[in-house]
Amino acid sequence: MTGNSNEPVRKRVTILGSTGSVGLSTLDVIGRNSGQYQVFALTANTNATLLAEQCRQYRPRFAVLCDEAAARQLRALLAGSELATEILVGPAGLNQVAAHADTDYVMAAIVGAAGLASALAAVEAGKRLLLANKEALVMSGSLFMQAVRTRQSTLLPIDSEHNAIFQSMANGAATHATGIRKILLTGSGGPLRQLPLAQMSQVTPDQACAHPNWSMGRKISVDSATMMNKGLEIIEAKWLFDLDVNQIEVVVHPQSIIHSMVDYIDGSIVAQLGNPDMRTPIAHGLAWPNRIDSGVSMLDMTAIGRLDFEPPDLQRFPCLRLAQEVARGAQSLAIAMNAANEVVVQAFLDELILFTDIPLIIESVLEQTDTDDALTMASILAIDNHARQRAVKAMQRKGVSVKSSRAGDVNA
Ligand code: NAD
Ligand code: MG
């Protein structure tokens, strides 16, 4: 309670990955609704300059950076500012702010496997978790959802498709909705949907990241260009909504206006529509079951005029084909696919491999992965590490010089 009984108690929000694309959108929504939300903690990998700016503006109690050098830089930047922000370092710092007794909501917006431990720490502490980091569920789905249930954490999907599905399932009946025939997971097809196939091997990182509808971080942008993103989202949806993989159908919808649909046994299809802007699902996750202003402009249906749909082209998008197979298989395969994908996407962004090498290397890693479903956190991290090493070796065999440290080792 606050001293003044007329003032609502503001929810204290931790943003894991506040300097990224989803992090920035989250701060924008909180800024528009500062009577209801306040920032409790902000975190970044190494971008101390932007984190310092965010600290001055939002005055968090904690700021976390991944190493001492970045933390020193932040301390220097904030020296003399009279901010009371405490600076923490590394994965232990992330877990501390995610699970802190004084935070109410946690936005998990770190990219990749590096975001798993802190997202799970928030769940273990029973927080409301706004989950943008899909890789966490891809890696640890069963264990993660079990923790959500036992700790009675409120899990709100922020990935736009999953948020749309959640909203289309009577807004909260999510995991208990009945009468669902299937869900239609929409995807734009990314920037390369119509590129002549012969040109795919020449695609540059900037071309792959030039998404027609969404502005996102570079890893997920490449995932959208390969459609691995949709593959990861199939696995994410399977765990979030307790669905059989056969109930999840991918539909290419180039305009990204319908963000996904639920197909019910009575013939109804319920969809969520809106402009492609992550502030809508973020605002939904913050305010649920209520609604707040997100700053997103109204959808003008007559200006859009038409909505198109087509089946995905699995020849053009071999990553989607691989992920569809993996989604039906053992959990170890999903972990290995996700880890290998992180390594090869970084190598592609560093211009060490071709765009068309991405699925080839992932497939070779999958071929070397044992199937295993009975997983603990230790075995999940071990499978992840092995797959990263195998992906690096597969690239080295191609003559690519890549160090495993660049691969985002989750134990680093
Ligand atoms: P981004 O690259 O823009 O931002 C990532 C954030 O994580 C940054 O703040 C960065 O400092 C931090 N980070 C990176 N590596 C880290 C590490 N090793 N340790 C600690 N912090 C680290 O990414 P993004 O586009 O905002 O995506 C974030 C997550 O949300 C991803 O899992 C992505 O799949 C998911 N997502 C993003 C969007 C989108 O529109 N951007 C949409 C749906 C889902
Ligand atoms: Mg998505």
Side-chain angles (χ1 to χ4, degrees):
M1 290 294 287
T2 56
N4 180 346
S5 57
N6 293 326
E7 270 179 35
V9 179
R10 295 195 299 166
K11 295 293 181 195
R12 296 158 296 186
V13 186
T14 286
I15 306 174
L16 304 168
S18 64
T19 55
S21 168
V22 171
L24 291 172
S25 293
T26 307
L27 283 171
D28 183 272
V29 176
I30 289 178
R32 290 166 192 278
N33 297 277
S34 54
Q36 291 178 67
Y37 306 95
Q38 71 184 91
V39 172
F40 177 75
L42 297 174
T43 88
N45 193 18
T46 54
N47 191 345
T49 311
L50 181 52
L51 194 60
E53 267 175 46
Q54 294 181 341
C55 286
R56 281 195 208 93
Q57 188 175 353
Y58 294 95
R59 311 181 76 81
R61 192 153 134 205
F62 293 100
V64 188
L65 281 157
C66 88
D67 61 29
E68 265 306 335
R72 263 198 307 280
Q73 203 190 339
L74 181 62
R75 257 180 227 114
L77 287 164
L78 294 180
S81 69
E82 292 172 25
L83 277 178
T85 304
E86 191 178 327
I87 299 169
L88 306 175
V89 181
L94 293 176
N95 292 355
Q96 188 180 330
V97 297
H100 199 287
D102 293 340
T103 194
D104 302 302
Y105 295 177
V106 176
M107 163 59 82
I110 290 173
V111 60
L116 169 59
S118 50
L120 192 57
V123 169
E124 296 281 4
K127 305 298 179 191
R128 171 182 291 209
L129 181 68
L130 282 65
L131 185 65
N133 177 286
K134 66 193 81 187
E135 295 91 345
L137 270 186
V138 171
M139 292 174 75
S140 73
S142 165
L143 195 141
F144 199 95
M145 295 309 290
Q146 184 59 39
V148 168
R149 284 187 290 273
T150 54
R151 303 294 174 151
Q152 298 185 327
S153 160
T154 304
L155 179 57
L156 292 162
I158 301 302
D159 208 351
S160 58
E161 297 76 5
H162 306 73
N163 184 268
I165 293 161
F166 183 87
Q167 294 198 47
S168 302
M169 286 180 173
N171 202 12
T175 50
H176 311 290
T178 54
I180 293 169
R181 183 158 49 193
K182 60 184 175 189
I183 64 166
L184 304 171
L185 201 60
T186 53
S188 67
L192 310 176
R193 186 175 59 92
Q194 292 176 315
L195 190 78
L197 281 179
Q199 291 174 27
M200 289 295 248
S201 64
Q202 300 312 313
V203 167
T204 64
D206 283 346
Q207 252 179 304
C209 289
H211 198 283
N213 309 326
W214 296 94
S215 155
M216 310 182 287
R218 283 173 82 78
K219 190 264 179 183
I220 184 177
S221 294
V222 176
D223 286 349
S224 298
T226 61
M227 284 196 84
M228 176 57 89
N229 184 48
K230 216 44 59 185
L232 297 174
E233 289 181 356
I234 292 173
I235 301 171
E236 183 186 14
K238 170 178 104 165
W239 292 115
L240 274 173
F241 305 115
D242 196 18
L243 294 167
D244 188 285
V245 176
N246 294 324
Q247 290 177 286
I248 306 171
E249 183 178 328
V250 173
V251 178
V252 172
H253 163 46
Q255 293 94 347
S256 299
I257 294 298
I258 293 182
H259 298 137
S260 280
M261 305 173 243
V262 180
D263 180 353
Y264 290 93
I265 51 175
D266 63 2
S268 304
I269 290 183
V270 182
Q272 186 260 355
L273 288 71
N275 280 315
D277 187 321
M278 287 303 289
R279 291 177 300 174
T280 294
I282 291 165
H284 178 264
L286 285 169
W288 181 82
N290 301 311
R291 299 272 177 179
I292 53 171
D293 171 36
S294 67
V296 177
S297 58
M298 289 273 293
L299 189 59
D300 182 344
M301 296 296 265
T302 52
I304 294 161
R306 55 184 275 185
L307 299 174
D308 297 309
F309 306 95
E310 63 192 42
D313 176 350
L314 297 183
Q315 194 196 345
R316 175 179 294 274
F317 299 114
C319 283
L320 178 59
R321 174 182 54 75
L322 285 176
Q324 282 177 332
E325 288 163 16
V326 163
R328 291 191 163 80
Q331 181 64 24
S332 56
L333 297 174
I335 299 164
M337 180 184 74
N338 178 68
N341 183 56
E342 285 190 30
V343 174
V344 294
V345 167
Q346 187 58 55
F348 168 70
L349 286 170
D350 291 341
E351 299 186 73
L352 296 171
I353 59 168
L354 298 177
F355 186 77
T356 41
D357 288 333
I358 294 174
L360 299 178
I361 297 166
I362 296 170
E363 190 158 24
S364 80
V365 172
L366 285 171
E367 281 163 5
Q368 300 168 60
T369 304
D370 296 331
T371 55
D372 188 358
D373 269 321
L375 300 175
T376 61
M377 189 45 73
S379 58
I380 289 170
L381 296 181
I383 294 165
D384 177 284
N385 268 324
H386 279 138
R388 282 169 201 272
Q389 285 163 20
R390 283 173 177 146
V392 169
K393 284 210 180 90
M395 288 192 286
Q396 285 167 344
R397 279 197 297 276
K398 280 177 167 286
V400 173
S401 159
V402 52
K403 287 197 243 86
S404 52
S405 57
R406 291 267 1 219
D409 184 337
V410 286
N411 292 329

